[in-house]
Amino acid sequence: MRVGILGVGHLAATLVAGLLRSGLEPEHLRLSPRGRAQELANRYGLAIAADNRGLVDSVEVVLLAVRPADAARAVLGLPWREGQVVISACAGVPLACLDVAPARVVRAMPLTAAEINASPTACFPVLAEAVAVLERLGPVIALASEADFEVATVNAAVYGWAQDLIRRTTEWSVEQGPEAEAMRRLVALTFVAAGRLMAEKPEPMAQLLDELVTPGGITELGLDVLSAGGQPALWETACEAVLARLTSPRGGPAR
Ligand SMILES: NC(=O)c1ccc[n+]([C@@H]2O[C@H](COP(=O)([O-])OP(=O)(O)OC[C@H]3O[C@@H](n4cnc5c(N)ncnc54)[C@H](OP(=O)(O)O)[C@@H]3O)[C@@H](O)[C@H]2O)c1
């Protein structure tokens, strides 16, 4: 299966790295011109299509990674054909805005961890051709409706907030004395551990937390301090702000 990337910017650079790392042959990956196309073509030995028409003509699956405001215009009037699949990564851009008939289109929200094949990628609707590409970048999580997919897209912002927490916890620790490299690794892998336990254990999440939060212990102490400062209500307000942006009529310029 040949894969084309339409819109070669920051996200595309991680998708290219992840697809090649997964074993996709460079001759099966093609880029649209503009952006970082020349840089990535030079680095990985990839072909750049002469234009977007040429890209669409030469591949079976197109990953759309232009900015949300450019998405509808970017796909309009291209030579889409039966059997082709478009995977739109454009945050907040509804399927109805992407006129690619007679090709089919799905929405997906890969994270930049695609670069290391570790992106949990929300997807709607599920098409086998799209899943075959996205699974190269990490586990694919199917959503049941486009409205559900929009809610799941908020998680792409939470991914950044989690990284911000890792950075802040590391920096705070280093100010107290420990060595930076050790703390970065410890804190980052602690977030991995927290996520893996929640993803892999079947028990209800509340039960897992109950087992962790000893009455009078340090986890409870920190949660009480956070609660007095506005958590978790503040976190929910941030999630709601992102969802409101994603579902506003002009679409969300989320990244
Ligand atoms: N960044 C992330 O972590 C992330 C994660 C998930 C989803 N997304 C989604 O991915 C999309 C891209 O985000 P980004 O951060 O990678 O943006 P970006 O760095 O600005 O990249 C977008 C690229 O698309 C190019 N482009 C625009 N219109 C084009 C067209 N008609 N033909 C060919 N190329 C065109 C732009 O070229 P010019 O610079 O020449 O205009 C630019 O190089 C967004 O819709 C975003 O919602 C991003």
Side-chain angles (χ1 to χ4, degrees):
M1 187 191 320
R2 292 166 301 176
V3 179
I5 300 195
L6 204 172
V8 185
H10 292 102
L11 178 68
T14 72
L15 301 179
V16 165
L19 289 170
L20 294 174
R21 200 169 178 265
S22 76
L24 188 72
E25 298 292 341
E27 54 269 32
H28 289 165
L29 188 54
R30 186 162 283 237
L31 306 177
S32 62
R34 288 167 62 167
R36 298 178 61 181
Q38 195 60 58
E39 170 206 333
L40 297 178
N42 293 347
R43 188 186 311 165
Y44 299 115
L46 303 175
I48 303 177
D51 54 25
N52 292 348
R53 294 183 69 83
L55 181 82
V56 169
D57 269 336
S58 63
V59 300
E60 284 77 46
V61 174
V62 172
L63 269 160
L64 180 66
V66 299
R67 288 180 290 271
D70 296 329
R73 206 175 40 238
V75 298
L76 205 61
L78 294 177
W80 303 109
R81 59 182 189 277
E82 202 86 45
Q84 231 171 5
V85 169
V86 178
I87 303 171
S88 168
C90 304
V93 179
L95 292 168
C97 290
L98 300 170
D99 184 2
V100 299
R104 290 167 299 162
V105 58
V106 308
R107 292 179 65 184
M109 196 43 54
L111 308 180
T112 54
E115 183 172 353
I116 54 168
N117 310 98
S119 165
T121 302
C123 182
F124 175 82
V126 171
L127 292 181
E129 297 90 333
V131 172
V133 172
L134 294 172
E135 271 184 346
R136 291 175 168 274
L137 306 171
V140 175
I141 316 278
L143 276 302
S145 69
E146 192 164 19
D148 287 0
F149 177 86
E150 222 67 79
V151 175
T153 299
V154 174
N155 189 62
V158 174
Y159 169 67
W161 306 344
Q163 291 189 38
D164 187 59
L165 283 177
I166 292 169
R167 190 194 69 184
R168 286 176 194 282
T169 308
T170 302
E171 287 175 358
W172 175 84
S173 305
V174 170
E175 278 166 22
Q176 317 309 309
E179 193 258 320
E181 208 174 310
M183 284 315 300
R184 173 175 173 164
R185 189 165 159 73
L186 178 66
V187 176
L189 291 180
T190 299
F191 273 69
V192 174
R196 277 197 59 190
L197 201 79
M198 287 290 193
E200 293 175 25
K201 294 267 281 184
E203 291 86 348
M205 290 192 285
Q207 184 185 326
L208 290 174
L209 270 164
D210 275 350
E211 289 165 4
L212 183 70
V213 185
T214 319
I218 56 172
T219 308
E220 186 187 65
L221 171 66
L223 286 173
D224 286 347
V225 172
L226 290 170
S227 172
Q231 291 285 30
L234 198 55
W235 192 273
E236 282 166 21
T237 302
C239 289
E240 274 154 19
V242 174
L243 183 59
R245 169 78 65 83
L246 287 166
T247 52
S248 73
R250 64 188 171 80
R255 299 176 72 85

